[in-house]
Every structure is written in C-alpha cells, then in structure tokens.
Amino acid sequence: MDKRYEVYALADRHFYDTPDRTAGAAEAAAPLLEAARRAVPEGWEAARTGDWLTLTPLGADGRPQPGPAQGWKVHSSATPANAERIAAIVWDYCVPRRIPFKFVPAAHLVHLRNAKYATRDTSGKFVTLYPDGEEQLHTVLRELGELLAGFEGPYILTDLRWGDGPLHVRYGAFARAYVVDERGALVPAVRDGEGRLVPDRRTPSFQVPEWVTLPEFLQPHLAARNTTTVGELPYRIDKALHFSNGGGVYAGTDTRTGRKVVLKEGRPHAGLAADGADAVTRLERERQALERLSGTGVVPEVRDWFTLGDHRFLVTDFVEGKPLNAFFAERHPLLTPDPDPAEVAAYTRWAVRIHRAVEQAVEQVHARGIVFNDLHVFNIMVAPDEESVVLLDFEAAAPAEERGRQVVAHPGFFAPPDRRGTDVDRYALACLRLALFLPVTTLFVVDRGKAAHLAEVIAGQFPDLPEGFLAEAVAEITRSAGDEPSGIRPGAAPLVDPADWPYSRDSMVKAILASATPERDDRLFPGDIAQFSDGGGLGLAHGAAGVLYALAAADGIRYEEGERWLLAHTDPAPPGTPLGLYDGLAGVAHVLDLLGHRQRALDVVEGILTERWQNLPSDLHGGLAGLGLVLAHLADTTGESALGRRADEAARILLGRLAEPAAPKRRAGLLRGASGPALFLLRQYERTGDRTLLDGAAVALRRDLERCVVRPGGSLEVDEGWRTLPYLGDGSAGVGMVLDDFLALSGDRDGGWAEARAGILTAASARFYAQPGLFQGRAGLILHLRRTGDPDGRLAGQIAGLGWYAMAYQGQLAFPGHQMMRLSMDLATGTAGCLLALTAALDGPDAAHLPFLPPPRRPS
C-alpha cells in the first residue's frame, strides 16, 4: 500500500488532488493563518505555489530583488498549535530586513506536512528563509532563534537543527534549476565547486555537499546531533522493517537474553493522526492497549519503554509468522486462468477458518474493553501453524467506553463516520470477509455500494462459501445511520457493463469530458498523483496528452478546449518538466503532432534537444528509447533530416549500452526495462533495414526475459524479488508485446521465443488482477490479448473481469486509479487507459493502440 495516496485523497471525494486544495468545508474550519491574510508589504511580491506562500522583496525597478541562486537556507518547523505565532514572528523579522521567505499559510496544511505518511524529505518544513551569505545566515539563526526560543516543532530530517528550537539549516538551491541525474531523471539542481549543475540531494538525512564547508558556527550543532547513538542500548538493531514520518519500526535482538524483539519509534510532533495525536502520543496509546491485553495471546507482549534523543521507543516481542496479505500471492486460486475446483474449495475453507480466528481475536480484544481501530490484512499475523493469529499495530486503539471514531486506518477497511467504538472493528471484519476473496475493498472509499456487486462476483467464483457469509458482510458494510456524505449509494450496482459496446465507450467518454478542469493550470484531467510532479499535468502517462490521445483513438473524438489547454501550457512548458515519452515533453510533442499541431510539436522537441538528452536512461518511459521513437517519427512525417540523425544517435547510444554487461538488479518490462529499447531498435530497423538494430533488439529482449520466472500454472512474469508482475507497464505483458513485433520482423522461431510467448499469454489470462488500469492492471492485459489475436479465447473473460472495478462518475462509467482510493481519468492508471484497451478489443486492434505499438505485421 503506497501511503502517499492517502494525503492526495483528502481534498476531493472523487479524484486524487493536491492537499492544498481542501474542500470548502475544510477551509472554513481551518482558515488561513493571520500572517497569510496580511496585506502584501509595499515593495514586496507575494505568490501562492502549491502549499507555500512566497514573499519576495522587489528592487527599485519593480522586479524581484537579486540574490544568491543557492546557499544555506533556514527552515523553521511548527505544530498546528503554534504555527500562527511562528508565522507572525518570521514575517515581522524578515520584512524589515528584506529577507525573502515563504511559509505554509494554513494550520491544516501544517498538519498534512507533519502527518504520518507525509513525505519525509519535506516533513516539518513550515517556513523557509533565504539568507544572503553565511554572515546573514549566522545573524538570522542567532536573532530569530532567540525570538523562537521555547517554540516546539518536529525535527526536520533533511536538516541540521540549531540548538533545541524549531530552526534548522540545509545547503541547497534558492532558485529553480534542473539537471539530468545519474539515473536519467530531471531533478532539482545546484552548482558544484566548478560551476556544474549537479543534483540537489534531499534525502531524509543531513548531508553537506562535498564542495561546501560547514560554517564554523554550525560545527557545535553537528557535534550535538552526533552524540545520540544506539550504542549504549541493550538492543541490537538487525534491520529496518518500515519507515514513516512518525518514525521507524526495527527488528532487533535483546543482547541480554537473545530474545527477538521489535523496536517501534515515535518522533515528537511528527506523524500526526487525524485527531492531532503525534507519533509519541500514539505510541503511548499502543503501549497502554497492549499492557491491558497482556496474556490474551492475540497481541505481542510489551518488553520495554524508553526515550532516546527525544524519541520514544516501544519494545515488544517479535511475532513469528507471515502477515495475512502475504498469502494472496502464494495461494489465491484466481491467479491462474483455470482454477482447479478442489483448490478453490480448499482456499475457501482456509479463508473462512482464518476469518473466524481473526473474529475470535477481536472478541478477546473487545472483552478487555479495547477497540482495535486499525484491523486490516497487513496488521494480522498468521502463525506458522496457520491456525492462530496475532493482531499488530495498536497505535490507533482506544478504550471501548469512549465510543470514538476511527482516525487512522487502511483505506480498504476504513469505517464510515457513523461507526463508533466496537462497531469500527465489526465493519473491518465485514470488509475482511470480502477482501479474503477479492482484495479490492479500497473501492468502498469511493462507493460502499460496490460491496453488493463484489459479493456477487465472489459467490460466482467461490461457490462453496457458507450460506450467509457474504450477505452478512454486505449488510454490515452498507448499513447507514443516515449521515453519509453526498454521493454514497449503498447497494447500488454498476451502471454500465464495459462489454456493452459502444454504449460503454460513449459513457466513458462522457465521464472523462465531465471531469475536465480547463480552468486549472496544474492539470486538465484528474488522474494519478504523479501528475502533480513538475510538469506532470501535461504528459502521456498521467496528464492531458494521454487522455487526448485515448479520446482520439476512441472513434476520433477531439476535445478542442483540451487541445487549446495543452497548447497554452506548452508555450512554454513549466520548468523542470521531464523530457521523456510517457513522463514528459517527448510524449506531449508526439500527441500534438498526431492532433495536427506540428509546429508546436517541433518547438517542444527543439527545447528537449537543448538539454543533455544523451544522458537520459535507456528506457521507454522517460528515456532514450521513447525520445528516439518520437524523433524518428517526426523525422519521417516532417522531412526534418536533423531529427532523423538524432534518432540514429540515440540508437547508437543504446546499442553501445547493450554491449556492456547488464546490471544484476536491473528493472524489466516495457516502460522501464530493456523491452523499451528493443521496441525503438525494431522501429529503427523498419526504417533503415540495418540488421544490427534487429540483433540489438534480440539482446535487449533476452535481458528482460532473463528477469522473468515461470509461476505455478505456467505463467511467465517479471521477477522483482518480492513479487512477480504480469502487467503491461512493468511486467511480462509489455515484454510480450515487443516480442510479438520481434518475431513478426525476424521470423525467428528458435531460442525459446515461442515458450516465452506462451508463458506470457498464460500470465495475461488469470482470473484476478488487483487493479483495472492499463499499465498495472487488467486493461493492459486486454490490450495484449487482443493484439496477439487471443489464441486461447480469454479476451471475453478479461473484459467481463474489468467490470468488477466499474464505478460511476456523474452517472457514467469510470474506473478507479492506482491504489483504487479515487477515480482516475488518465491513460496509465484510469478511465482513458480502459477506454483505449476496450476500443482495441471491441473495435479491433487497428482502431486503437499504444504509441509505436500498432498490431504487429504477421510474417508471410
């Protein structure tokens, strides 16, 4: 579960959005800080960017006052309680001294920056000051540090703390600059000692660039920071299990006894829950709950409780076994195309038995007067005997008599606001009944009425379930006390069947167009949270270009207002916009050209070629393979020979990299593996007839196939070490697409190609996939099956399976995005990608396809 998505699910109940765009009710409950409501001082400029309000002094010419482009910046942390006063003090300090600064302008945004799953590299940063040189830096730290003495705030992990107050320092960029890093990504940059742009590292630990000398006045503070170590503890830290903004969880050993233990860390003022409790408070709640439950056998026993460097630590027994979620990949019977009825029956018995064990454990917790409040598949440890369970992570637990609401929970088990006290756990138990068979209960965050539909699907796939097992769960999930938010439709069925074509096509198009927000600058269509990265609202995977591409593929639909938006927002593109095919400007240029805006496409590509594009990684998503495909295509359609030469240069670079030994832990797949370069080399071979390109494609494909493993049942999937993937983007289906093209062009039938192709088709034919999207879900497998000609007749079943995730937006068919906590309209994760796949499946592969992946030419 990617916890970043929870923060982006706060502002809108339908779509992921930036946390600063909170709904009107939240703004009314948490208005702007007083400092943010002040009039802009004369001779200053104010600008709101994301969740920052920036104040910049102006020069005599009315332009921003010139200052250093980089240096030591000062951060102040804050708590929601003291943010108002700190902002006012900083304002009153900086304005008379004409020091540029910015701050987070509302208390609820301060809370989000300090929340449990806020990003650790930005956590705690409430105010940023930009001193002009080390002398002013020292003055600011001394003077402002005195003014803020006694104010509390979380430790900023990227910075060095000044004394014991809220001020911190870090060396970094003041002005925006970007560079392609060693991984080929476009990242924020600073200039090194020789004036070269290098990445501005923002890892969650204090680091001084090698060409920078730490000022002498900061040395004592670094020494004080380094005095806190774990060396004197009676515990050895063996490995980190988990990190959040609230602290880490570590597996360790008690050196006095040899007992295996877990150490759980709580950072003060950080890791805030919805009720404002920080990680230390929540850790104290967990300790109290576990001590009250001691001796039940269904929770770990507490062994120690101590403070180290202001951080609290809870030590408990290490629980042997595996978390319940780990069993899905190992034994879920729908992970194959034709499940054995005996295995389905055995899994049904096992799942019902485990659910009963969890129920009994929860009953023991309730008998001691505790509500768990965070029951889900990751917090249930199944013992090695697979008969008993232990419940983990009681930081959200509360006394039953308080009858409180849930404040921290997994989205797929998060109770509605009418559930209180022990009813919260009963709701989670009901969700668990469905999740054991179809682990997609995060859909209930969008519409709990989906429970009835999923129960119907489960009953059809698992016919041996006890009578009433599912009906009782649906009744519990959908019952309401009458205070549901607008739009929740308990018991409602999907409005449109994806197989009802072309009605479903028209419905998806209506949903996509209804979601458009041309009045916004950061996005045109709602999609994945990735679109909120620099320039992400433009791109092919998650931005406007991808949706416009899919609409054009669906019966040639043109959205003229959307095209005007894309033209306006590429004149120029935002600084820092990535350069690649799926993540950035190359893909935008390709779509603009396809839509008839050729000159703008050429202008965008000209801008790309002014960057150090040769340093891009090799992949299709954001690297040389994707850029090379766009350059070659534009060279052919425009006659611009210089673009063709750049495409040839990209091919030579890729062939040179393929001649080097492969990295042992390299990624595989269409988007980020060697299959992307293989695709580009195949297209270049078609253009030039140069056999070396075809041979290079074979090398690249073999590299990706070496990263694949055969699963039980015969499916061939990409092995990531901790999971295997069949999907189009990072899994084996994308490899299979390029393999089909290679076989069509080469006619090669030796070397195991046929066996690999068959295994990939099996991987694309399973009964269950966790998500619907194009790159990481069922839609991509639909596209692959249709492109192969569906030799085993699996396509209709996969289209029917896509309906398992069908949702409604304004009465029209839509699909949830990545993590399935909100709907998405983008190409990679959402409705546009499903539209593309279904158009290809139901109108024919010539009707719609991914860029540069039309139906393969069949060998004669």
Side-chain angles (χ1 to χ4, degrees), residues 154-313:
Y155 191 95
I156 298 175
L157 297 173
T158 59
D159 289 26
L160 176 64
R161 190 173 195 169
W162 176 262
D164 57 2
L167 294 186
H168 300 71
V169 294
R170 185 183 83 85
Y171 189 93
F174 289 7
R176 297 180 73 177
Y178 296 89
V179 69
V180 176
D181 69 5
E182 64 275 6
R183 298 176 301 169
L186 199 64
V187 298
V190 292
R191 294 195 180 275
D192 65 10
E194 298 180 7
R196 299 171 301 188
L197 282 174
V198 296
D200 184 6
R201 306 291 184 189
R202 299 180 182 182
T203 54
S205 62
F206 177 66
Q207 297 179 354
V208 181
E210 59 183 16
W211 69 91
V212 174
T213 301
L214 186 73
E216 186 65 31
F217 55 83
L218 293 179
Q219 294 286 353
H221 301 273
L222 180 61
R225 176 183 181 273
N226 292 337
T227 58
T228 301
T229 68
V230 298
E232 296 181 5
L233 293 177
Y235 303 103
R236 182 181 69 246
I237 304 297
D238 297 324
K239 67 175 179 178
L241 300 176
H242 174 68
F243 284 108
S244 75
N245 190 33
V249 181
Y250 311 91
T253 303
D254 187 329
T255 56
R256 298 163 297 187
T257 64
R259 181 193 300 271
K260 294 176 68 175
V261 295
V262 170
L263 296 89
K264 192 169 184 179
E265 175 188 22
R267 295 177 57 221
H269 311 298
L272 303 182
D275 63 351
D278 69 357
V280 174
T281 301
R282 290 186 286 104
L283 202 60
E284 171 70 20
R285 290 174 180 172
E286 180 163 15
R287 179 180 70 87
Q288 293 173 352
L290 292 179
E291 288 177 346
R292 194 165 170 176
L293 295 167
S294 178
T296 59
V298 298
V299 301
E301 295 291 332
V302 174
R303 297 297 171 186
D304 202 354
W305 173 254
F306 63 88
T307 300
L308 178 67
D310 293 333
H311 292 201
R312 279 285 193 177
F313 285 84

Side-chain angles (χ1 to χ4, degrees), residues 6-167:
E6 294 187 27
V7 176
Y8 286 85
L10 296 173
D12 188 293
R13 67 181 183 85
H14 287 117
F15 303 113
Y16 295 119
D17 212 335
T18 53
D20 59 296
R21 289 183 174 269
T22 50
E27 287 284 5
L32 294 177
L33 302 176
E34 180 274 332
R37 300 195 303 270
R38 294 182 183 183
V40 179
E42 185 177 354
W44 285 71
E45 178 181 75
R48 180 78 182 265
T49 305
D51 55 3
W52 288 107
L53 178 62
T54 301
L55 278 296
T56 307
L58 302 176
D61 58 359
R63 297 180 178 179
Q65 177 179 291
Q70 64 192 55
W72 289 98
K73 60 179 72 174
V74 178
H75 291 119
S76 177
S77 60
T79 69
N82 66 26
E84 185 86 67
R85 294 175 61 198
I86 290 178
I89 291 170
V90 171
W91 180 296
D92 293 339
Y93 179 83
C94 288
V95 169
R97 294 164 177 81
R98 299 184 65 75
I99 300 173
F101 68 103
K102 65 181 180 180
F103 65 99
V104 178
H108 69 282
L109 297 177
V110 177
H111 176 102
L112 293 176
R113 278 190 163 255
N114 295 329
K116 181 176 180 180
Y117 288 106
T119 54
R120 299 171 73 225
D121 59 340
T122 61
S123 171
K125 296 175 182 177
F126 169 57
V127 173
T128 307
L129 288 73
Y130 300 96
D132 189 353
E134 291 185 6
E135 182 177 348
Q136 189 176 63
L137 168 71
H138 195 193
T139 301
V140 167
L141 290 171
R142 286 186 288 105
E143 294 179 349
L144 190 56
E146 184 175 343
L147 291 172
L148 295 178
F151 283 85
E152 296 182 322
Y155 191 95
I156 298 175
L157 297 173
T158 59
D159 289 26
L160 176 64
R161 190 173 195 169
W162 176 262
D164 57 2
L167 294 186

Side-chain angles (χ1 to χ4, degrees), residues 681-689 693 741 745 857:
L681 295 176
L682 290 175
R683 297 287 92 94
Q684 284 291 95
Y685 170 69
E686 289 177 317
R687 292 179 68 239
T688 66
L693 298 165
D741 280 19
L745 290 170
R857 297 185 314 179

